[in-house]
Amino acid sequence: MMPSLPEQSPLGKASAYIDQYDASLLFPIPRAGKRAEIGVTGAAPFFGADLWTAFELSWLNLRGKPQVALAHFTVPCETPNIVESKSFKLYLNSFNNTRFADAAEVQARLRADISEAVWRGADRPATVGVRLLAPELFDQEPMHELDGLSLDRLDVECTHYHPAPELLTAAWDEPAVTEVLTSNLLKSNCLVTGQPDWGSVQIAYSGPQLGQEGLLQYLVSFRNHNEFHEQCVERIFMDIWTRCQPI
């Protein structure tokens, strides 16, 4: 089955709880449509990854005893598809009453299924990153902010709540810089349900220094925009790339 439209996903619909392993629950959504809207029709001119964390992963061992783990997933931006988030949750829930030999088998199954979904339709499919943490390692799991200088420290007036790339500026008449900027204020609305879709963003770049106040105002301008926040991040890159070129 090829990837379909977001409206055809289980998002916003009543869903039965399926507690037996079912890889078909994963619903891939093509990146191409949204990328075409921002002028990306071939290979993306950027690199990065979507990072997912599952705090509620469970399965049964061969004797029927429940097992639990935390899971981290890394999906490269080169994949032709993303996985719709509700379908991802339904898929993970399908492990709950399924028996596996050990955590390594679970990890291998997760890697194979998610890789197939996000690389579906690709000429040269690859794999995604999957890391499981056993309960005895939970205390070692770091919880910290994204590394970088927080734009959220700035006291700015915000009046735009739909994408406003005209707020972006770059200091081309000054020496180039290398820096990492972060913000926790990225919010858009789900493309299907209209509900809030929250995200944090980290921007690492080298070149003419970006105007930080305008950049923060620009990130805030996505607040009432209807788009998955993973796709907002790609739009953000392209807006910075195109708006901050020398005149």
Side-chain angles (χ1 to χ4, degrees):
M1 182 181 69
M2 293 300 292
S4 302
L5 299 174
E7 294 79 4
Q8 298 171 308
S9 77
L11 195 59
K13 305 179 180 71
S15 302
Y17 168 38
I18 299 174
D19 62 357
Q20 296 293 327
Y21 167 71
D22 185 355
S24 70
L25 292 169
L26 289 170
F27 191 92
I29 297 175
R31 297 183 189 267
K34 286 297 179 179
R35 286 188 173 175
E37 292 181 10
I38 58 175
V40 178
T41 56
F46 49 79
F47 62 90
D50 300 320
L51 305 178
W52 296 75
T53 300
F55 293 99
E56 299 172 343
L57 177 63
S58 183
W59 66 93
L60 304 178
N61 68 13
L62 295 182
R63 300 187 66 188
K65 181 182 176 183
Q67 309 291 297
V68 296
L70 296 180
H72 293 288
F73 306 98
T74 303
V75 180
C77 70
E78 292 84 2
T79 62
N81 312 303
I82 60 174
V83 173
E84 188 279 309
S85 58
K86 181 179 178 181
S87 78
F88 205 158
K89 173 97 174 160
L90 295 174
Y91 163 72
L92 294 177
N93 282 343
S94 78
F95 283 71
N96 288 348
N97 282 338
T98 305
R99 300 189 182 208
F100 293 92
D102 51 29
E105 183 182 358
V106 174
Q107 182 182 29
R109 191 70 268 159
L110 290 166
R111 180 180 290 112
D113 293 342
I114 299 167
S115 296
E116 190 283 325
V118 298
W119 287 100
R120 189 175 299 170
D123 294 333
R124 292 191 296 271
T127 61
V128 301
V130 178
R131 183 165 61 94
L132 300 188
L133 281 82
E136 59 268 22
L137 299 177
F138 286 0
D139 281 344
Q140 300 177 25
E141 180 69 355
M143 298 292 291
H144 60 76
E145 291 295 317
L146 292 171
D147 294 331
L149 179 63
S150 174
L151 295 169
D152 303 345
R153 76 190 192 285
L154 301 173
D155 183 17
V156 299
E157 181 178 6
C158 298
T159 58
H160 294 75
Y161 299 109
H162 290 281
E166 64 272 16
L167 295 169
L168 296 167
T169 61
W172 280 93
D173 56 346
E174 298 178 6
V177 302
T178 296
E179 62 181 359
V180 180
L181 304 173
T182 67
S183 176
N184 294 317
L185 302 186
L186 178 62
K187 173 199 168 288
S188 60
N189 295 326
C190 173
L191 195 60
V192 177
T193 66
Q195 296 299 305
D197 201 8
W198 303 93
S200 297
V201 61
Q202 181 187 64
I203 302 169
Y205 75 99
S206 295
Q209 187 166 39
L210 299 174
Q212 292 185 7
E213 290 191 3
L215 177 56
L216 178 58
Q217 291 168 324
Y218 164 71
L219 295 176
V220 170
S221 76
F222 282 80
R223 192 167 184 84
N224 293 338
H225 180 57
N226 293 327
E227 194 163 16
F228 297 130
H229 76 263
E230 298 96 330
Q231 295 169 328
C232 287
V233 170
E234 296 188 354
R235 184 181 295 268
I236 288 166
F237 173 88
M238 291 303 297
D239 282 345
I240 293 174
W241 180 262
T242 57
R243 296 286 303 189
C244 296
Q245 298 296 321
I247 299 174

